[in-house]
Amino acid sequence: MTLTVASIEGRRLDHFIGGRRTAPHSGQYLQSFDPTTGAPWYEAADGDAADIDAAVRVAQAASMDPAWRRITQTDRGRLVRRLAELVAREADALALMEMRDNGKLLREMQAQLKAMPDAYHYFAGMADKLQGDTIPVNKLDMLNFTLREPIGVVGMITPWNSPLMLLTGTLAPCLAIGNTVVIKPSEHTSASTLALAELVKEAGFPDGVVNVVTGHGRTAGEALTRHPGVAKIVFTGSTATGRRIAANAAGNLVPCQMELGGKSPHVVFDDVDLDRAVNGVMAGVFAAGGQTCIAGSRCFVEAGIYDTFVERLVDRARRVRIGHPAQEDTELGPLALAAQLEKVETYVGYGVADGATIATGGRRPQDGELAAGWYYEPTVLVDAKNDMRFMRDEIFGPVVGVMPFRGEDELIRLANDTRYGLAAGIWTRDIDRAMRFARNVDAGTVWINTYRSAAFMSPSGGFKESGYGRRGGFEVMREFSRLKNVVVDYSGATQDPFVIRLR
Ligand code: TXE
């Protein structure tokens, strides 16, 4: 892997198309910033429609090329496993690159990267298990069966919060199934995806199977979603952008998989071990700086323990260690983007204007080096209500709104009073109650006495405006293959073309 933090500092990075670094058609590059200082640290090709067109054509050609199309399933799986080994070899370098780009804790990015090879191995195992059915039909001497085939070129648009992890859940199965891909990473975090493309080449995948075009959403991203050569769009990002992409894809009748925003309810009943629940709520919204679609940003606490719970939560939030993401003891790093910091400040302001009270946080830290970066204190807003703007929209930062509830009926009404439906969490010792909540809450994933416990073996995705389609588990075999029905008449009989036989 030639791309590392040291090798790219101050340099220009090109697209990766057809197995080669390719300069942007426009000659333009965009800057990528270090969130701990706000300073640019490398430039990436600023792709446009011409670059996307070149990449999609190459990916189309690769999907028809016998080097990829006629490879056995076993060999395809072997390539994905080889990629897993290379990701394991480069895990530390990739984690460092992602931390530098998005400011997330090095420990967190390392944990993601160390777990990633297992995901590639898991999906590699699907390569030789993609099978159809034999269908019994009411005709003798007829064989009726289904085939599962690759779809073709899959366009992937990824965000900046966990670039490679969010890519893996769709890239690994796509490759195992035999698709080819064009990836448009976030303009804020281009480096690690370009580095991964180098590993794909080193693993031995034919050129053109994986292509990366960097650039802005409104140019490169938009062009990818409108390109008629793309057979499916995979998107992770905001609901507003997802809606726009789905409309573009509809123009070509192309299906999408959408992993969008969330405003997930995180519930605490009065029968719990309070320390455990406080830690769970903290992890749900302050880990990753709240920059995760599954953040438990609306916290509902049973009225009887509301005051005690808030006191403990605030006490713990005040003790969160804010610092440089590479430091071993840092618990909260900076936000990834200047725009994200502004969004967080704006929404905390809305919260106060709408009648909530800041119990802790609500400020940028002012001391020393922290003042220069995009840092924000963990923030707890009490007296929150669902109709307040900060409780309705996804903030994507370390901000939680807390409100009391009385009884399960009120809880379900409050929990589901959102346009999102991505995740939900509940802390209680009463399993009946937990199961009733799991059945009644509108969320694609429900956690009971845990939170943010994601696994590539389980299907994840949202309801409502959080999107559609599923990642993880066996569901992806359906998502990234197409189903063909084949009918064979082996009777040898010649039929009169105009005889209609009634049964
Ligand atoms: O997202 P966008 P942004 C949410 C979160 C955050 C907000 C804004 O609430 O505050 O989105 O972040 C590409 N056609 N999430 O502006 O715009 C873009 O280049 C095609 C939730 O970064 O959704 C990038 O690659 N592509 C989330 C990707 O879309 C377009 C993760 C995401 O950008 C495009 C990130 C267009 N017209 C943000 N416009 C999650 N679900 O985890 C943009 N893009």
Side-chain angles (χ1 to χ4, degrees):
M1 196 172 80
T2 60
L3 299 183
T4 61
V5 164
S7 76
I8 66 181
E9 181 108 43
R11 301 270 291 278
R12 286 187 156 175
L13 308 185
D14 288 322
H15 304 307
F16 190 89
I17 300 174
R20 285 202 307 272
R21 294 185 199 170
T22 310
H25 170 256
S26 65
Q28 301 295 309
Y29 290 79
L30 55 84
Q31 290 183 315
S32 211
F33 297 89
D34 180 336
T36 64
T37 59
W41 72 287
Y42 70 91
E43 292 184 337
D46 193 358
D48 61 14
D51 298 317
I52 287 289
D53 185 53
V56 173
R57 284 173 191 275
V58 163
Q60 278 181 305
S63 73
M64 301 307 290
D65 188 334
W68 184 237
R69 194 182 174 89
R70 305 271 307 149
I71 190 174
T72 65
Q73 302 87 307
T74 306
D75 284 343
R76 221 169 42 225
R78 192 174 285 127
L79 282 174
V80 179
R81 281 197 292 278
R82 175 81 186 115
L83 180 57
E85 285 157 13
L86 296 179
V87 170
R89 188 190 76 193
E90 302 294 346
D92 285 333
L94 290 166
L96 199 59
M97 208 178 285
E98 297 213 319
M99 178 210 80
R100 193 75 196 276
D101 249 352
N102 69 10
K104 283 213 185 163
L105 299 189
L106 184 57
R107 277 182 287 123
E108 183 191 341
M109 300 329 275
Q110 281 170 334
Q112 285 186 5
L113 264 299
K114 298 257 190 264
M116 213 170 286
D118 288 342
Y120 278 99
H121 281 294
Y122 173 82
F123 291 114
M126 290 181 178
D128 55 6
K129 293 170 193 69
L130 200 70
Q131 57 195 39
D133 295 316
T134 307
I135 299 162
V137 287
N138 272 327
K139 297 214 171 95
L140 298 174
D141 303 327
M142 275 281 184
L143 180 62
N144 186 318
F145 62 96
T146 58
L147 292 174
R148 285 226 165 250
E149 304 178 331
I151 313 173
V153 180
V154 179
M156 299 184 172
I157 298 176
T158 53
W160 40 264
N161 49 334
S162 293
L164 288 184
M165 192 195 74
L166 291 169
L167 177 66
T168 300
T170 53
L171 177 65
C174 269
L175 295 178
I177 289 166
N179 296 293
T180 60
V181 300
V182 176
I183 307 163
K184 206 299 285 172
S186 165
E187 56 271 41
H188 307 292
T189 52
S190 308
S192 60
T193 307
L194 289 166
L196 183 81
E198 290 190 338
L199 298 182
V200 168
K201 187 175 173 79
E202 187 182 340
F205 285 86
D207 288 345
V209 169
V210 173
N211 307 278
V212 181
V213 175
T214 56
H216 289 100
R218 64 179 182 277
T219 48
E222 192 87 17
L224 185 58
T225 62
R226 288 181 188 275
H227 200 293
V230 173
K232 179 150 190 168
I233 302 281
V234 173
F235 175 67
T236 311
S238 64
T239 294
T241 301
R243 194 173 266 125
R244 189 179 167 92
I245 288 175
N248 287 347
N252 293 326
L253 286 176
V254 165
C256 299
Q257 190 195 68
M258 293 278 167
E259 159 79 81
L260 309 175
K263 198 75 198 175
S264 301
H266 202 161
V267 178
V268 182
F269 272 94
D270 69 1
D271 61 350
V272 291
D273 172 338
L274 265 192
D275 288 337
R276 218 177 140 205
V278 167
N279 278 350
V281 169
M282 294 280 299
V285 73
F286 297 141
Q291 298 169 112
T292 148
C293 49
I294 51 180
S297 48
R298 292 183 305 139
C299 180
F300 300 101
V301 182
E302 198 164 22
I305 57 161
Y306 181 78
D307 291 338
T308 318
F309 181 86
V310 167
E311 198 177 303
R312 296 241 197 139
L313 181 68
V314 166
D315 174 58
R316 182 68 189 84
R318 281 197 182 125
R319 289 186 283 118
V320 168
R321 283 188 299 270
I322 307 176
H324 193 284
Q327 261 166 244
E328 196 50 34
D329 61 349
T330 296
E331 293 173 332
L332 186 69
L335 292 155
L337 320 175
Q340 218 27 69
L341 176 60
E342 278 166 28
K343 182 178 177 186
V344 169
E345 286 188 316
T346 302
Y347 272 93
V348 171
Y350 286 161
V352 174
D354 290 348
T357 306
I358 297 175
T360 185
R363 294 181 320 158
R364 302 181 188 199
Q366 297 304 322
D367 32 312
E369 289 179 1
L370 297 185
W374 300 326
Y375 293 90
Y376 198 79
E377 291 179 354
T379 301
V380 178
L381 286 152
V382 293
D383 308 327
K385 302 244 166 21
N386 266 339
D387 59 1
M388 295 176 175
R389 285 167 286 183
F390 91 100
M391 290 288 273
R392 299 217 72 82
D393 298 340
E394 182 178 60
I395 299 179
F396 227 59
V399 181
V400 63
V402 194
M403 63 190 286
F405 71 89
R406 288 168 191 77
E408 287 179 45
D409 290 345
E410 185 184 47
L411 169 65
I412 287 296
R413 192 173 50 73
L414 292 172
N416 287 341
D417 178 19
T418 168
R419 60 199 167 94
Y420 295 112
L422 196 55
I426 179 168
W427 295 84
T428 177
R429 288 187 175 140
D430 183 338
I431 189 65
D432 298 354
R433 182 153 67 189
M435 287 306 299
R436 280 193 294 274
F437 177 77
R439 290 299 292 265
N440 292 323
V441 71
D442 288 335
T445 298
V446 183
W447 287 295
I448 299 173
N449 294 330
T450 181
Y451 202 88
R452 279 189 88 223
S453 169
F456 46 80
M457 302 85 164
S458 56
S460 68
F463 299 146
K464 296 156 76 176
E465 292 189 26
S466 291
Y468 47 83
R470 290 294 178 270
R471 295 170 185 188
F474 292 163
E475 285 298 318
V476 292
M477 291 164 95
R478 276 190 284 277
E479 290 270 349
F480 295 115
S481 65
R482 63 182 192 183
L483 189 64
K484 184 177 280 177
N485 184 213
V486 182
V487 183
V488 188
D489 180 336
Y490 58 91
S491 67
T494 307
Q495 284 175 19
D496 181 326
F498 300 109
V499 168
I500 298 168
R501 279 178 294 181
L502 299 176
R503 287 193 69 251

